[in-house]
Coordinates of all heavy atoms in Angstrom, one line a residue:
M1094 N 0.9 -1.2 0.0 CA 0.0 0.0 0.0 C 0.9 1.2 0.0 O 1.9 1.3 0.7 CB -0.9 0.0 1.2 CG -1.9 1.1 1.3 SD -3.0 1.1 2.7 CE -3.7 -0.5 2.7
N1095 N 0.6 2.2 -0.8 CA 1.4 3.4 -0.9 C 1.2 4.2 0.4 O 0.2 4.1 1.1 CB 1.2 4.2 -2.2 CG -0.2 4.9 -2.3 OD1 -0.6 5.4 -1.2 ND2 -0.8 4.8 -3.4
S1096 N 2.2 5.0 0.7 CA 2.2 5.8 1.9 C 1.1 6.8 2.0 O 0.6 7.1 3.0 CB 3.5 6.5 2.2 OG 3.9 7.4 1.2
D1097 N 0.7 7.4 0.8 CA -0.4 8.4 0.8 C -1.7 7.7 1.2 O -2.4 8.2 2.0 CB -0.5 9.0 -0.6 CG 0.6 9.9 -1.0 OD1 1.3 10.3 0.0 OD2 0.8 10.2 -2.2
A1098 N -2.0 6.5 0.7 CA -3.2 5.8 1.0 C -3.2 5.4 2.5 O -4.2 5.6 3.2 CB -3.3 4.6 0.2
W1099 N -2.0 5.0 3.1 CA -2.0 4.7 4.5 C -2.2 5.9 5.3 O -2.9 5.8 6.3 CB -0.6 4.1 4.8 CG -0.5 3.7 6.2 CD1 0.4 4.4 7.1 CD2 -1.1 2.7 6.9 NE1 0.2 3.8 8.4 CE2 -0.8 2.8 8.2 CE3 -2.1 1.8 6.6 CZ2 -1.2 2.0 9.2 CZ3 -2.6 0.9 7.5 CH2 -2.2 1.1 8.8
E1100 N -1.7 7.1 5.0 CA -1.9 8.3 5.7 C -3.4 8.7 5.7 O -4.0 9.1 6.7 CB -1.1 9.4 5.2 CG 0.4 9.3 5.5 CD 1.2 10.4 4.9 OE1 0.7 11.5 4.6 OE2 2.4 10.2 4.8
I1101 N -4.0 8.5 4.6 CA -5.5 8.8 4.5 C -6.3 7.9 5.4 O -7.2 8.3 6.2 CB -5.9 8.8 3.1 CG1 -5.3 9.9 2.3 CG2 -7.5 8.9 3.0 CD1 -5.5 9.9 0.8
L1102 N -6.0 6.6 5.3 CA -6.7 5.6 6.2 C -6.5 5.8 7.6 O -7.3 5.5 8.4 CB -6.4 4.2 5.7 CG -6.8 3.8 4.3 CD1 -6.2 2.4 3.9 CD2 -8.4 3.7 4.3
A1103 N -5.3 6.2 8.0 CA -5.0 6.4 9.4 C -5.4 7.7 10.0 O -5.5 7.9 11.2 CB -3.4 6.3 9.6
E1104 N -5.9 8.6 9.2 CA -6.4 9.9 9.8 C -7.6 9.7 10.7 O -8.5 8.9 10.4 CB -6.9 10.8 8.7 CG -5.8 11.4 7.8 CD -6.3 12.3 6.6 OE1 -7.6 12.5 6.6 OE2 -5.6 12.6 5.8
P1105 N -7.7 10.3 11.8 CA -8.8 10.1 12.7 C -10.1 10.7 12.1 O -10.0 11.6 11.3 CB -8.4 11.0 14.0 CG -7.1 11.3 13.8 CD -6.6 11.2 12.4
F1106 N -11.2 10.1 12.4 CA -12.5 10.7 11.9 C -12.7 11.9 12.8 O -12.4 12.1 13.9 CB -13.6 9.7 12.1 CG -13.5 8.6 11.0 CD1 -12.8 7.4 11.2 CD2 -14.1 8.8 9.8 CE1 -12.7 6.4 10.2 CE2 -14.0 7.8 8.8 CZ -13.3 6.6 9.0
T1107 N -13.4 12.9 12.1 CA -13.7 14.2 12.8 C -14.8 13.8 13.9 O -15.5 12.8 13.9 CB -14.4 15.2 11.9 OG1 -15.6 14.7 11.4 CG2 -13.4 15.5 10.7
A1108 N -14.8 14.7 14.9 CA -15.8 14.6 16.0 C -17.2 14.5 15.4 O -18.1 13.8 16.0 CB -15.7 15.8 16.9
G1109 N -17.5 15.2 14.4 CA -18.9 15.2 13.8 C -19.2 13.9 13.1 O -20.4 13.5 13.0
E1110 N -18.2 13.0 12.8 CA -18.4 11.7 12.2 C -18.5 10.7 13.2 O -19.0 9.6 12.9 CB -17.3 11.4 11.2 CG -17.2 12.3 10.0 CD -15.9 12.1 9.2 OE1 -14.8 12.1 9.8 OE2 -16.0 11.8 8.0
V1111 N -18.1 10.9 14.5 CA -18.2 9.9 15.6 C -19.6 10.1 16.2 O -20.0 11.2 16.6 CB -17.1 10.1 16.6 CG1 -17.2 9.1 17.7 CG2 -15.7 10.0 15.9
Q1112 N -20.3 9.0 16.3 CA -21.5 9.0 16.9 C -21.5 8.1 18.2 O -20.5 7.4 18.3 CB -22.7 8.4 16.0 CG -22.8 9.3 14.7 CD -23.8 8.8 13.7 OE1 -24.8 8.2 14.1 NE2 -23.4 8.8 12.5
W1113 N -22.5 8.1 19.0 CA -22.5 7.3 20.3 C -23.8 6.5 20.4 O -24.8 7.0 19.9 CB -22.4 8.3 21.4 CG -21.1 9.1 21.4 CD1 -20.9 10.2 20.8 CD2 -19.8 8.6 22.0 NE1 -19.6 10.6 21.0 CE2 -18.9 9.7 21.7 CE3 -19.4 7.6 22.8 CZ2 -17.6 9.6 22.1 CZ3 -18.1 7.5 23.2 CH2 -17.2 8.5 22.9
R1114 N -23.6 5.3 21.0 CA -24.8 4.5 21.2 C -24.7 3.8 22.5 O -23.6 3.5 23.0 CB -25.1 3.5 20.1 CG -24.1 2.3 20.1 CD -24.5 1.2 19.0 NE -23.5 0.2 19.1 CZ -22.7 -0.1 18.0 NH1 -22.9 0.5 16.9 NH2 -21.9 -1.1 18.2
V1115 N -25.8 3.5 23.1 CA -25.8 2.7 24.3 C -25.6 1.3 24.0 O -26.4 0.7 23.3 CB -27.2 2.9 25.1 CG1 -27.3 2.0 26.3 CG2 -27.4 4.4 25.5
E1116 N -24.6 0.7 24.6 CA -24.3 -0.7 24.4 C -24.9 -1.6 25.4 O -25.3 -2.7 25.1 CB -22.7 -0.9 24.4 CG -22.3 -2.2 24.0 CD -22.3 -2.6 22.5 OE1 -22.6 -1.6 21.7 OE2 -22.1 -3.7 22.2
A1117 N -25.0 -1.1 26.6 CA -25.6 -2.0 27.7 C -26.1 -1.0 28.8 O -25.6 0.0 29.0 CB -24.5 -2.9 28.3
L1118 N -27.1 -1.5 29.5 CA -27.7 -0.8 30.7 C -27.4 -1.7 31.9 O -27.5 -2.9 31.8 CB -29.2 -0.6 30.5 CG -29.6 0.4 29.4 CD1 -31.1 0.4 29.3 CD2 -29.2 1.8 29.9
S1119 N -27.3 -1.0 33.0 CA -27.2 -1.7 34.3 C -28.6 -2.3 34.6 O -29.6 -1.8 34.1 CB -26.7 -0.8 35.4 OG -27.6 0.2 35.6
K1120 N -28.6 -3.2 35.5 CA -29.9 -3.8 35.9 C -31.0 -2.8 36.3 O -32.1 -2.9 36.1 CB -29.7 -4.9 37.0 CG -29.1 -6.2 36.5 CD -29.0 -7.2 37.5 CE -28.3 -8.5 36.9 NZ -28.2 -9.5 37.9
D1121 N -30.5 -1.8 37.1 CA -31.4 -0.8 37.7 C -31.6 0.4 36.6 O -32.4 1.3 36.8 CB -30.9 -0.1 38.9 CG -29.6 0.6 38.8 OD1 -29.1 0.7 37.6 OD2 -29.0 1.0 39.8
K1122 N -31.0 0.2 35.4 CA -31.1 1.2 34.3 C -30.7 2.6 34.6 O -31.2 3.5 34.0 CB -32.5 1.1 33.7 CG -32.8 -0.3 33.1 CD -34.2 -0.2 32.5 CE -34.4 -1.7 31.9 NZ -35.6 -1.9 31.3
R1123 N -29.9 2.7 35.7 CA -29.4 4.1 36.1 C -28.0 4.4 35.4 O -27.6 5.5 35.4 CB -29.3 4.2 37.5 CG -30.7 4.1 38.2 CD -30.7 4.2 39.7 NE -30.1 5.5 40.1 CZ -29.6 5.7 41.3 NH1 -29.8 4.8 42.2 NH2 -29.1 6.9 41.6
R1124 N -27.3 3.3 35.0 CA -26.0 3.5 34.4 C -26.0 2.8 33.0 O -26.7 1.8 32.8 CB -25.0 3.0 35.2 CG -24.8 3.7 36.5 CD -23.7 3.1 37.4 NE -24.2 1.8 37.8 CZ -23.4 0.7 38.1 NH1 -22.1 0.9 38.1 NH2 -23.9 -0.4 38.5
A1125 N -25.2 3.4 32.1 CA -25.2 2.8 30.8 C -23.7 2.8 30.3 O -22.9 3.6 30.7 CB -26.0 3.6 29.7
M1126 N -23.4 1.8 29.4 CA -22.1 1.8 28.8 C -22.3 2.3 27.4 O -23.2 1.7 26.7 CB -21.5 0.4 28.7 CG -20.2 0.3 28.0 SD -19.3 -1.3 28.0 CE -20.4 -2.3 27.1
V1127 N -21.6 3.4 27.1 CA -21.9 4.1 25.8 C -20.6 3.9 25.0 O -19.5 4.0 25.5 CB -22.2 5.6 26.1 CG1 -22.3 6.3 24.7 CG2 -23.4 5.7 27.0
V1128 N -20.8 3.6 23.8 CA -19.5 3.3 22.9 C -19.6 4.2 21.6 O -20.7 4.5 21.1 CB -19.5 1.8 22.4 CG1 -19.3 0.9 23.7 CG2 -20.7 1.4 21.7
P1129 N -18.5 4.6 21.1 CA -18.4 5.4 19.9 C -18.5 4.5 18.7 O -18.0 3.3 18.8 CB -17.0 6.1 20.0 CG -16.2 5.1 20.8 CD -17.1 4.5 21.8
Y1130 N -19.0 5.0 17.6 CA -19.0 4.3 16.3 C -19.0 5.3 15.2 O -19.4 6.5 15.4 CB -20.1 3.3 16.2 CG -21.4 3.9 16.0 CD1 -22.0 4.0 14.7 CD2 -22.2 4.4 17.1 CE1 -23.3 4.6 14.6 CE2 -23.5 5.0 16.9 CZ -24.0 5.1 15.6 OH -25.2 5.7 15.4
I1131 N -18.7 4.8 14.0 CA -18.8 5.6 12.8 C -19.7 4.9 11.9 O -19.7 3.7 11.8 CB -17.4 6.0 12.2 CG1 -16.7 4.7 11.9 CG2 -16.6 6.9 13.1 CD1 -15.4 4.9 11.1
D1132 N -20.4 5.7 11.1 CA -21.3 5.1 10.2 C -20.6 4.4 9.0 O -19.5 4.9 8.7 CB -22.2 6.3 9.6 CG -23.3 5.9 8.7 OD1 -23.0 5.4 7.5 OD2 -24.5 5.9 9.2
A1133 N -21.1 3.3 8.6 CA -20.4 2.6 7.6 C -20.1 3.4 6.3 O -19.1 3.2 5.6 CB -21.2 1.3 7.2
R1134 N -21.1 4.3 6.0 CA -20.8 5.1 4.8 C -19.6 6.0 4.9 O -18.9 6.3 3.9 CB -22.0 6.1 4.6 CG -23.3 5.3 4.1 CD -24.5 6.2 4.0 NE -24.9 6.5 5.4 CZ -26.0 6.2 6.0 NH1 -26.9 5.5 5.2 NH2 -26.3 6.6 7.2
N1135 N -19.2 6.4 6.2 CA -17.9 7.1 6.3 C -16.7 6.3 6.0 O -15.7 6.7 5.5 CB -17.9 7.7 7.8 CG -18.9 8.7 8.0 OD1 -19.4 9.3 7.1 ND2 -19.1 9.0 9.3
V1136 N -16.9 5.0 6.4 CA -15.8 4.0 6.1 C -15.6 3.9 4.6 O -14.5 3.9 4.0 CB -16.0 2.6 6.8 CG1 -15.0 1.6 6.3 CG2 -16.0 2.8 8.3
L1137 N -16.8 3.7 3.9 CA -16.7 3.5 2.4 C -16.1 4.7 1.8 O -15.4 4.6 0.9 CB -18.1 3.2 1.9 CG -18.8 1.9 2.6 CD1 -20.2 1.7 2.0 CD2 -18.0 0.7 2.4
D1138 N -16.6 5.9 2.2 CA -16.1 7.1 1.6 C -14.6 7.2 1.8 O -13.8 7.7 1.0 CB -16.7 8.4 2.2 CG -18.2 8.5 1.8 OD1 -18.6 7.8 0.8 OD2 -19.0 9.2 2.5
R1139 N -14.1 6.9 3.0 CA -12.7 7.0 3.3 C -11.9 6.0 2.4 O -10.8 6.3 1.9 CB -12.4 6.7 4.8 CG -11.0 6.6 5.3 CD -10.3 8.0 5.3 NE -11.0 8.9 6.2 CZ -10.6 9.1 7.5 NH1 -9.6 8.4 8.1 NH2 -11.2 10.0 8.2
L1140 N -12.4 4.8 2.3 CA -11.7 3.8 1.4 C -11.6 4.4 -0.1 O -10.6 4.3 -0.7 CB -12.4 2.5 1.4 CG -12.3 1.7 2.7 CD1 -13.3 0.6 2.7 CD2 -10.9 1.1 2.8
D1141 N -12.7 4.9 -0.5 CA -12.8 5.5 -1.9 C -11.7 6.7 -2.0 O -11.0 6.8 -3.0 CB -14.1 6.1 -2.2 CG -15.1 5.0 -2.6 OD1 -14.7 3.8 -2.9 OD2 -16.3 5.3 -2.6
E1142 N -11.6 7.5 -1.0 CA -10.7 8.6 -1.0 C -9.2 8.1 -1.0 O -8.3 8.6 -1.7 CB -10.9 9.5 0.2 CG -10.0 10.6 0.3 CD -10.1 11.4 1.7 OE1 -11.1 11.1 2.5 OE2 -9.3 12.3 1.9
A1143 N -9.0 7.0 -0.2 CA -7.6 6.5 0.0 C -7.1 5.7 -1.3 O -6.0 6.0 -1.6 CB -7.5 5.7 1.3
V1144 N -7.9 4.8 -1.7 CA -7.4 4.0 -2.8 C -8.3 3.9 -4.1 O -8.0 3.1 -4.9 CB -7.3 2.5 -2.2 CG1 -6.2 2.5 -1.1 CG2 -8.5 1.9 -1.8
G1145 N -9.3 4.7 -4.0 CA -10.2 4.7 -5.2 C -11.2 3.5 -5.1 O -10.9 2.5 -4.5
P1146 N -12.4 3.7 -5.8 CA -13.3 2.6 -5.7 C -12.8 1.3 -6.3 O -13.3 0.2 -5.9 CB -14.4 3.1 -6.6 CG -14.3 4.5 -6.8 CD -12.8 4.8 -6.6
E1147 N -11.8 1.3 -7.1 CA -11.3 0.1 -7.8 C -10.2 -0.6 -6.8 O -9.7 -1.7 -7.1 CB -10.7 0.4 -9.1 CG -9.4 1.2 -9.1 CD -9.5 2.7 -8.8 OE1 -10.7 3.2 -8.8 OE2 -8.5 3.3 -8.5
G1148 N -9.8 0.2 -5.8 CA -8.6 -0.3 -4.9 C -9.1 -1.2 -3.7 O -8.3 -1.7 -3.0
W1149 N -10.5 -1.4 -3.6 CA -10.9 -2.2 -2.4 C -12.2 -2.9 -2.8 O -12.8 -2.6 -3.8 CB -11.1 -1.3 -1.2 CG -12.2 -0.4 -1.3 CD1 -12.2 0.9 -1.9 CD2 -13.6 -0.5 -1.0 NE1 -13.4 1.5 -1.9 CE2 -14.3 0.6 -1.3 CE3 -14.3 -1.6 -0.4 CZ2 -15.7 0.8 -1.0 CZ3 -15.6 -1.5 -0.1 CH2 -16.3 -0.3 -0.4
Q1150 N -12.5 -4.0 -2.0 CA -13.7 -4.7 -2.2 C -14.1 -5.3 -0.9 O -13.2 -5.5 0.0 CB -13.7 -5.7 -3.3 CG -12.7 -6.8 -3.0 CD -12.7 -7.8 -4.2 OE1 -12.9 -7.4 -5.4 NE2 -12.6 -9.1 -3.9
D1151 N -15.4 -5.5 -0.8 CA -15.9 -6.2 0.4 C -16.8 -7.3 0.0 O -17.5 -7.2 -1.0 CB -16.5 -5.2 1.4 CG -17.6 -4.4 0.9 OD1 -17.8 -4.3 -0.4 OD2 -18.4 -3.8 1.6
S1152 N -16.9 -8.3 0.9 CA -17.9 -9.4 0.7 C -18.4 -9.8 2.0 O -17.7 -9.6 3.1 CB -17.2 -10.6 0.0 OG -16.2 -11.2 0.7
Y1153 N -19.6 -10.4 2.1 CA -20.3 -10.6 3.3 C -20.9 -12.1 3.3 O -21.2 -12.6 2.3 CB -21.4 -9.6 3.5 CG -20.9 -8.2 3.7 CD1 -20.8 -7.4 2.5 CD2 -20.6 -7.7 4.9 CE1 -20.2 -6.2 2.6 CE2 -20.1 -6.4 5.0 CZ -20.0 -5.7 3.9 OH -19.5 -4.4 4.0
E1154 N -20.9 -12.6 4.5 CA -21.5 -14.0 4.6 C -22.5 -13.9 5.9 O -22.0 -13.5 7.0 CB -20.5 -15.0 4.8 CG -21.0 -16.4 5.1 CD -19.9 -17.4 5.5 OE1 -18.7 -17.0 5.4 OE2 -20.3 -18.6 5.8
V1155 N -23.7 -14.2 5.8 CA -24.6 -14.3 6.9 C -24.3 -15.6 7.7 O -24.4 -16.7 7.1 CB -26.0 -14.2 6.5 CG1 -27.0 -14.4 7.7 CG2 -26.3 -12.9 5.8
L1156 N -23.9 -15.4 9.0 CA -23.6 -16.6 9.8 C -24.7 -17.1 10.6 O -24.8 -18.3 10.8 CB -22.4 -16.2 10.7 CG -21.1 -15.7 10.1 CD1 -20.1 -15.2 11.0 CD2 -20.6 -16.8 9.2
A1157 N -25.6 -16.1 11.0 CA -26.7 -16.5 11.8 C -27.9 -15.5 11.6 O -27.6 -14.3 11.5 CB -26.4 -16.6 13.3
A1158 N -29.1 -16.0 11.5 CA -30.2 -15.1 11.2 C -31.4 -15.7 11.9 O -32.0 -16.6 11.5 CB -30.5 -15.0 9.7
Q1159 N -31.7 -15.0 13.0 CA -32.9 -15.3 13.7 C -33.6 -14.0 14.0 O -32.9 -13.0 14.2 CB -32.6 -16.1 15.1 CG -31.9 -17.4 14.9 CD -31.5 -18.0 16.2 OE1 -31.5 -17.3 17.3 NE2 -31.3 -19.3 16.2
E1160 N -34.9 -14.0 14.1 CA -35.6 -12.7 14.3 C -35.0 -11.9 15.6 O -34.9 -12.4 16.6 CB -37.1 -13.0 14.6 CG -37.8 -11.7 14.6 CD -39.3 -11.8 14.6 OE1 -39.8 -12.9 14.1 OE2 -40.0 -11.0 15.1
G1161 N -34.4 -10.7 15.3 CA -34.0 -9.9 16.3 C -32.4 -10.2 16.6 O -31.9 -9.5 17.5
S1162 N -31.8 -11.1 15.9 CA -30.4 -11.5 16.2 C -29.7 -12.0 15.0 O -30.1 -13.1 14.5 CB -30.3 -12.5 17.3 OG -29.0 -12.8 17.6
F1163 N -28.7 -11.2 14.5 CA -28.1 -11.5 13.2 C -26.6 -11.4 13.4 O -26.1 -10.6 14.2 CB -28.5 -10.6 12.1 CG -30.0 -10.6 11.8 CD1 -30.9 -9.8 12.5 CD2 -30.5 -11.5 10.9 CE1 -32.2 -9.9 12.2 CE2 -31.8 -11.6 10.6 CZ -32.7 -10.8 11.3
A1164 N -25.8 -12.3 12.7 CA -24.4 -12.2 12.7 C -23.9 -12.3 11.3 O -24.4 -13.2 10.5 CB -23.8 -13.4 13.5
V1165 N -22.9 -11.5 10.9 CA -22.5 -11.4 9.5 C -21.0 -11.3 9.6 O -20.4 -10.6 10.4 CB -23.0 -10.1 8.8 CG1 -22.4 -10.0 7.5 CG2 -24.6 -10.2 8.7
R1166 N -20.3 -12.0 8.6 CA -18.8 -11.9 8.5 C -18.6 -11.0 7.3 O -19.2 -11.2 6.2 CB -18.2 -13.3 8.2 CG -16.7 -13.2 8.0 CD -16.0 -14.5 7.7 NE -16.3 -15.4 8.8 CZ -16.6 -16.7 8.7 NH1 -16.5 -17.2 7.5 NH2 -16.8 -17.5 9.7
C1167 N -17.6 -10.1 7.4 CA -17.1 -9.2 6.4 C -15.7 -9.5 6.0 O -14.9 -9.7 6.9 CB -17.3 -7.8 6.7 SG -16.6 -6.6 5.6
R1168 N -15.5 -9.7 4.7 CA -14.0 -9.7 4.3 C -13.8 -8.5 3.5 O -14.4 -8.2 2.5 CB -13.8 -11.0 3.4 CG -12.4 -11.0 2.8 CD -12.2 -12.1 1.9 NE -11.8 -13.2 2.8 CZ -10.6 -13.8 2.8 NH1 -9.7 -13.4 2.0 NH2 -10.3 -14.7 3.7
L1169 N -12.9 -7.6 4.0 CA -12.5 -6.4 3.4 C -11.1 -6.5 2.8 O -10.1 -6.9 3.5 CB -12.5 -5.2 4.4 CG -12.1 -3.9 3.8 CD1 -13.0 -3.3 2.8 CD2 -12.0 -2.9 5.0
S1170 N -11.0 -6.3 1.5 CA -9.7 -6.3 0.8 C -9.4 -4.9 0.3 O -10.1 -4.3 -0.4 CB -9.7 -7.3 -0.4 OG -10.1 -8.7 0.1
V1171 N -8.1 -4.5 0.6 CA -7.6 -3.2 0.2 C -6.3 -3.4 -0.4 O -5.4 -3.9 0.3 CB -7.5 -2.2 1.4 CG1 -7.0 -0.9 1.0 CG2 -8.9 -2.1 2.1
L1172 N -6.2 -3.1 -1.7 CA -4.9 -3.2 -2.4 C -4.3 -4.6 -2.2 O -3.1 -4.7 -2.0 CB -4.0 -2.1 -2.1 CG -4.4 -0.7 -2.4 CD1 -3.4 0.3 -1.9 CD2 -4.7 -0.4 -3.9
G1173 N -5.2 -5.6 -2.3 CA -4.7 -7.0 -2.2 C -4.5 -7.5 -0.8 O -4.2 -8.7 -0.7
V1174 N -4.7 -6.7 0.2 CA -4.6 -7.2 1.6 C -6.0 -7.4 2.2 O -6.8 -6.5 2.1 CB -3.8 -6.2 2.5 CG1 -3.8 -6.7 3.9 CG2 -2.4 -6.0 1.9
S1175 N -6.3 -8.6 2.7 CA -7.6 -8.9 3.1 C -7.6 -9.1 4.7 O -6.7 -9.7 5.3 CB -8.2 -10.2 2.5 OG -8.3 -10.0 1.1
K1176 N -8.7 -8.6 5.3 CA -9.0 -8.8 6.7 C -10.5 -9.2 6.9 O -11.3 -8.8 6.0 CB -8.7 -7.6 7.5 CG -7.3 -6.9 7.4 CD -6.3 -7.8 8.2 CE -4.9 -7.2 8.0 NZ -4.0 -7.9 8.8
E1177 N -10.8 -10.0 7.9 CA -12.1 -10.4 8.2 C -12.5 -9.9 9.6 O -11.7 -9.9 10.5 CB -12.3 -11.9 8.0 CG -12.2 -12.4 6.7 CD -12.5 -13.9 6.5 OE1 -12.9 -14.5 7.5 OE2 -12.4 -14.4 5.4
D1178 N -13.8 -9.7 9.8 CA -14.4 -9.5 11.1 C -15.8 -9.9 11.1 O -16.5 -10.1 10.0 CB -14.2 -8.0 11.6 CG -14.2 -7.9 13.1 OD1 -14.5 -8.9 13.8 OD2 -13.9 -6.8 13.6
V1179 N -16.4 -10.0 12.3 CA -17.8 -10.5 12.4 C -18.6 -9.3 13.1 O -18.0 -8.7 14.0 CB -17.9 -11.8 13.2 CG1 -19.3 -12.2 13.5 CG2 -17.2 -12.9 12.5
G1180 N -19.8 -9.1 12.6 CA -20.6 -8.0 13.3 C -21.9 -8.7 13.7 O -22.4 -9.7 13.1
E1181 N -22.5 -8.1 14.7 CA -23.8 -8.5 15.2 C -24.8 -7.4 15.2 O -24.4 -6.2 15.2 CB -23.7 -9.0 16.7 CG -22.7 -10.1 16.9 CD -22.5 -10.4 18.3 OE1 -22.2 -9.5 19.1 OE2 -22.7 -11.6 18.7
G1182 N -26.1 -7.7 15.2 CA -27.1 -6.6 15.3 C -28.4 -7.2 15.3 O -28.6 -8.4 15.1
D1183 N -29.4 -6.3 15.6 CA -30.8 -6.7 15.7 C -31.5 -6.7 14.4 O -32.7 -7.0 14.3 CB -31.6 -5.9 16.8 CG -31.5 -4.4 16.4 OD1 -31.0 -4.0 15.4 OD2 -32.0 -3.6 17.3
S1184 N -30.7 -6.3 13.3 CA -31.3 -6.4 11.9 C -30.0 -6.7 11.1 O -28.9 -6.6 11.5 CB -31.8 -5.0 11.6 OG -30.8 -4.1 11.4
L1185 N -30.3 -7.2 9.9 CA -29.2 -7.6 8.9 C -28.4 -6.3 8.6 O -27.2 -6.4 8.6 CB -29.8 -8.2 7.6 CG -30.0 -9.7 7.6 CD1 -30.6 -10.2 6.4 CD2 -28.7 -10.4 7.9
K1186 N -29.1 -5.2 8.4 CA -28.4 -3.9 8.1 C -27.4 -3.6 9.2 O -26.2 -3.2 8.9 CB -29.4 -2.8 7.9 CG -28.7 -1.4 7.5 CD -29.6 -0.3 7.5 CE -29.0 0.9 7.0 NZ -27.8 1.4 7.8
A1187 N -27.8 -3.7 10.5 CA -26.9 -3.4 11.6 C -25.8 -4.4 11.7 O -24.7 -4.0 11.9 CB -27.8 -3.4 12.9
A1188 N -26.0 -5.6 11.4 CA -25.0 -6.6 11.5 C -24.0 -6.4 10.3 O -22.8 -6.5 10.5 CB -25.5 -8.0 11.4
F1189 N -24.4 -6.0 9.1 CA -23.5 -5.8 8.0 C -22.7 -4.6 8.4 O -21.4 -4.6 8.2 CB -24.3 -5.5 6.8 CG -24.7 -6.8 5.9 CD1 -25.7 -7.6 6.4 CD2 -24.0 -7.1 4.8 CE1 -26.0 -8.7 5.7 CE2 -24.4 -8.2 4.1 CZ -25.4 -9.1 4.5
S1190 N -23.2 -3.5 8.9 CA -22.5 -2.3 9.2 C -21.5 -2.6 10.3 O -20.4 -2.1 10.2 CB -23.4 -1.2 9.7 OG -24.3 -0.7 8.6
D1191 N -21.9 -3.3 11.3 CA -21.0 -3.7 12.4 C -19.8 -4.5 11.9 O -18.7 -4.4 12.4 CB -21.8 -4.4 13.5 CG -21.0 -4.6 14.8 OD1 -20.3 -3.6 15.2 OD2 -21.0 -5.7 15.4
A1192 N -20.1 -5.4 11.0 CA -19.0 -6.3 10.5 C -18.0 -5.5 9.7 O -16.8 -5.7 9.8 CB -19.6 -7.4 9.6
L1193 N -18.4 -4.5 8.9 CA -17.5 -3.7 8.3 C -16.7 -2.8 9.2 O -15.5 -2.7 9.0 CB -18.3 -2.7 7.2 CG -17.4 -1.7 6.5 CD1 -16.5 -2.5 5.5 CD2 -18.3 -0.7 5.7

């Protein structure tokens, strides 16, 4: 991977691109664990900017699908280097985004 692409991919996302969601609640619902995340579209835009649309590809495999609980594996390849991860969600869309 060329150094320009690596620098673009390594740039932090702006505060406006970082969103927050409640990951878990305490039993009494008075405390919550909140986690940061970025929208999958921001990831796709960053990949396009860094290596162009032809420089990367992704593929997905649904691992589990039950009403309200989904698991998806994503394989992301950038300039010939591939990595995989699994995402979970209460919808297929959420699981696909989480996997990416």
Side-chain angles (χ1 to χ4, degrees):
M1094 182 180 304
N1095 69 42
S1096 63
D1097 290 340
W1099 179 249
E1100 286 180 22
I1101 292 169
L1102 290 171
E1104 288 176 11
F1106 285 92
T1107 66
E1110 293 170 310
V1111 177
Q1112 300 175 40
W1113 298 88
R1114 72 169 180 247
V1115 174
E1116 186 75 11
L1118 289 172
S1119 64
K1120 288 183 182 182
D1121 64 7
K1122 297 185 180 177
R1123 295 179 60 195
R1124 294 178 294 152
M1126 179 172 62
V1127 181
V1128 296
Y1130 73 97
I1131 54 172
D1132 190 281
R1134 289 175 291 248
N1135 291 344
V1136 174
L1137 303 178
D1138 290 345
R1139 176 71 59 91
L1140 288 165
D1141 285 345
E1142 177 187 355
V1144 297
E1147 70 288 343
W1149 67 274
Q1150 66 181 35
D1151 54 348
S1152 61
Y1153 298 86
E1154 176 187 359
V1155 177
L1156 302 174
Q1159 299 175 341
E1160 189 170 331
S1162 179
F1163 299 89
V1165 173
R1166 177 181 304 143
C1167 173
R1168 173 178 277 247
L1169 177 64
S1170 299
V1171 179
L1172 298 176
V1174 177
S1175 298
K1176 302 289 183 174
E1177 290 186 2
D1178 205 352
V1179 175
E1181 302 173 305
D1183 58 3
S1184 69
L1185 273 175
K1186 181 184 183 313
F1189 275 74
S1190 294
D1191 189 45
L1193 178 64

